[in-house]
Amino acid sequence: MCGIISYCGNRQAIPILIDGLKRLEYRGYDSAGLSTVDKNKMVTIKTVGKVSQLENKTAGTRINSSFGIAHTRWATHGKPSETNAHPQTDCHNKISIVHNGIIENYLELKEELQNKGHQFKSQTDTEVIAHLIEDNYENDLEVAIIKSVERLVGTFGIAVIHTDYKHQIFIVKRGSPIIIGIGDNEFFAASDSNALAPYTHKMVYLSDDEIAVLNSNRFYIKNMKNEILEKKIEILDEDEYKMDKKGYEHYMLKEIFEQPESIKNAFRGRIILNEGVSKLGGLEPVLGRLKNIKKLIIVSCGTSYHAGLLGRYIFETLTELDIEIELASEFRYRRLKLNEDVAVLAISQSGETADTLAAIKEAKRKGALLLGIVNAVGTSIAQITDAGVYNHAGPEIGVASTKIYTSQLVIITLIALFIGRYQTVSFIEGSELLTALKKLPDQIKDILKNAKQIEKIALRYAHFKNFLYIGRLYNYPTAMEGALKLKEISYAHAEGYPAGEMKHGPISLIDENFPTIAIVPKDSTYDKMINNIQEIRARSGRILSITNDGEDKIKNISDDLILVPQTLSILQPILNIIPLQLFAYYIAKEKGCDVDKPRNLAKSVTVE
Ligand code: M6R
């Protein structure tokens, strides 16, 4: 989704801004632009499409400036166009602004400003901020910005420059992430630490309603009461944001192949085998409260929601808690009884998903204990939660989440065991689970060795337009996630269903052109899954089975079969999803789709 990068220092700004934008490209966007001040004039260059096009446009301009703001836009208000791209400017082209988030009361403000004579050029909500600052400006830009943001309803991370304030950038945050990067006599601001990786590892995370003012040799941060704040400088580990395809054709493929390592990173140092328990330092501060909770509600979106869906079964198996799982975007509409007996667990790769953030803010208001499973260190969800566990899976650049999903499942299992061992789970059960967990990386390596065979199978399915994915119990979420992977990157229509529900509707879709991907582990669901496959075959449906049973019973009724190693039922989904990720990848590649940046999607969804 939208990305911001700003630079203020002694070097030429444009190459740094362009480079930063390129590092934000993976988030998904449709247009890009930048502003700087050269010879006392605001210079703004924008384009629809790729950052490389913006780079070409800046190439012949000979701009000489060492500060500026830049943006990649993912359209919300107004279609992708040069006019609607950011930066947006005021009437006199003195103020320029880039913005992430949504201004909910922009129409009302726009009308008010138009009545005062302001001329608007774009259809964006962002432009209203530039005009509002212009309207509030007397002789102090900082004061004008503070006055203006007080009027804004919604979420924003903004960066503002003014032709009269050379070498100064004003940053404000409410709801959308902004990080300040600290270099040697140079400062940066970005919506994502990845954009700053080549320049500095020293970061300060702004909290809501804080304003940062950067210039080339100093910066300060204030709250809205004009008080200077002492903020902690975080040093980010290089591995947290290394962006490199390492010879793989796509980030997604690389990330699928990184799973043996990302899973190890999820449990490294978190297992005490001889006590059959997990050790989660991030939860220790709330241990007293955690031991007393009666109910856990998991909130998340997309792939993280599927991890939560499986989490419900995992927590039910390992703990005595009442478990609910809710889509973060729906959570706020419910009249849930939240109190100190309830913990709300947010699961989010990016740590910035607006729906999840809104859900946990709601839960906080009502007194629940907030827990998080987050990959991106220091992000909003990580900051707001009372305690949590980081994935430590490294950056995930492909928009389709792969390695984070399996990493989330490992961490959910560790949290459930952590709680369960204070309840009824025995030492033996805990040890068995952890022993099986430790074997997963090698078992995944075995699956990945068959990637070529999975590719061959995938190519036989690439021409189909519709797919049904079915599974039961622990593998119902696997079916959902397998279908999501295929639809988001290959644009084929795919539905994930609990297999038992098939006969209540989706079976009417089945014919020879509507294949089914059946997830058939050798567990308590096996016989029922075999029955479902028979029902599909009776309607001429083609079947690809993902199973750990190589026997004739399943072979004879499947058109294609992918074998995965066997583990405990509760962990089997972590293995079963790997061939489905590869299946989706190879189909999307065969269809010539932009695998890492599927159309209309963004990596970090920062609007509700
Ligand atoms: O960053 P989050 O985990 O909170 O993101 C949630 C979803 O937007 C995300 O999982 C999305 O569904 C992915 N594109 C799935 O591959």
Side-chain angles (χ1 to χ4, degrees), residues 173-455:
K173 173 189 183 309
R174 186 185 298 156
S176 286
I178 290 269
I179 299 150
I180 308 297
I182 303 166
D184 285 339
N185 287 328
E186 56 182 5
F187 297 95
F188 306 81
S191 48
D192 181 330
S193 53
N194 282 317
L196 305 182
Y199 304 104
T200 179
H201 292 180
K202 287 191 207 162
M203 315 272 170
V204 174
Y205 292 89
L206 283 196
S207 300
D208 282 354
D209 290 314
E210 289 179 355
I211 177 164
V213 182
L214 318 181
N215 58 47
S216 48
N217 50 21
R218 69 185 197 110
F219 82 103
Y220 60 84
I221 299 174
K222 284 181 177 175
N223 59 21
M224 294 290 146
K225 290 186 216 141
N226 204 25
E227 295 161 338
I228 297 268
L229 304 171
E230 289 297 322
K231 302 274 294 185
K232 190 171 164 222
I233 298 176
E234 313 265 354
I235 312 288
L236 280 206
D237 183 344
E238 193 161 349
D239 287 347
E240 298 289 351
Y241 48 39
K242 236 182 228 159
M243 285 171 84
D244 177 7
K245 280 194 209 149
K246 287 191 185 144
Y248 287 93
E249 196 174 342
H250 294 99
Y251 281 112
M252 181 179 175
L253 190 62
K254 173 187 157 242
E255 286 153 8
I256 292 172
F257 273 81
E258 278 173 351
Q259 288 177 104
E261 201 49 38
S262 54
I263 281 183
K264 257 190 217 156
N265 288 345
F267 66 63
R268 182 172 289 130
R270 290 169 168 168
I271 285 180
I272 309 176
L273 202 54
N274 60 7
E275 290 177 35
V277 72
S278 44
K279 175 176 174 283
L280 297 168
L283 298 186
E284 297 290 345
V286 296
L287 188 57
R289 228 180 130 185
L290 200 55
K291 279 185 190 166
N292 290 321
I293 60 159
K294 307 270 180 305
K295 180 173 179 172
L296 180 76
I297 306 176
I298 307 173
V299 290
S300 44
C301 306
T303 286
S304 297
Y305 173 72
H306 296 154
L309 261 188
L310 181 51
R312 176 175 63 189
Y313 294 112
I314 297 174
F315 276 102
E316 268 171 12
T317 307
L318 296 175
T319 75
E320 306 302 304
L321 299 173
D322 286 336
I323 309 293
E324 274 200 44
I325 161 84
E326 182 60 279
L327 283 162
S329 53
E330 287 296 313
F331 182 84
R332 56 165 46 177
Y333 303 118
R334 298 194 53 197
R335 290 191 80 245
L336 287 162
K337 279 190 203 132
L338 300 176
N339 54 37
E340 60 211 16
D341 291 344
V342 180
V344 172
L345 170 64
I347 307 175
S348 175
Q349 183 284 130
S350 62
E352 299 294 354
T353 301
D355 288 321
T356 309
L357 207 49
I360 58 174
K361 282 182 180 167
E362 187 67 24
K364 192 174 195 131
R365 176 177 301 125
K366 292 178 177 157
L369 173 68
L370 297 191
L371 306 175
I373 299 176
V374 172
N375 188 47
V377 175
T379 44
S380 304
I381 294 174
Q383 284 184 41
I384 283 185
T385 43
D386 298 304
V389 183
Y390 280 121
N391 295 81
H392 295 312
E396 189 180 65
I397 306 299
V399 162
S401 186
T402 52
K403 66 173 177 174
I404 304 296
Y405 177 67
T406 48
S407 164
Q408 286 168 338
L409 297 181
V410 170
I411 291 175
I412 288 169
T413 308
L414 292 176
I415 298 178
L417 181 64
F418 183 81
I419 298 173
R421 285 286 283 123
Y422 288 106
Q423 299 176 338
T424 50
V425 174
S426 71
F427 152 68
I428 299 285
E429 286 167 323
S431 304
E432 271 172 11
L433 179 62
L434 293 172
T435 305
L437 198 65
K438 285 179 84 175
K439 288 189 185 147
L440 290 177
D442 285 337
Q443 291 180 307
I444 292 177
K445 279 185 195 158
D446 287 342
I447 300 173
L448 294 171
K449 278 184 202 147
N450 287 332
K452 280 273 161 263
Q453 189 221 338
I454 296 170
E455 179 175 15

Side-chain angles (χ1 to χ4, degrees), residues 435-484:
T435 305
L437 198 65
K438 285 179 84 175
K439 288 189 185 147
L440 290 177
D442 285 337
Q443 291 180 307
I444 292 177
K445 279 185 195 158
D446 287 342
I447 300 173
L448 294 171
K449 278 184 202 147
N450 287 332
K452 280 273 161 263
Q453 189 221 338
I454 296 170
E455 179 175 15
K456 266 194 204 152
I457 293 174
L459 296 189
R460 295 206 279 273
Y461 287 78
H463 64 285
F464 288 110
K465 292 194 167 51
N466 300 292
F467 292 80
L468 183 65
Y469 284 66
I470 54 169
R472 284 172 183 261
L473 186 67
Y474 298 119
N475 285 290
Y476 148 46
T478 314
M480 302 283 288
E481 175 59 11
L484 178 67

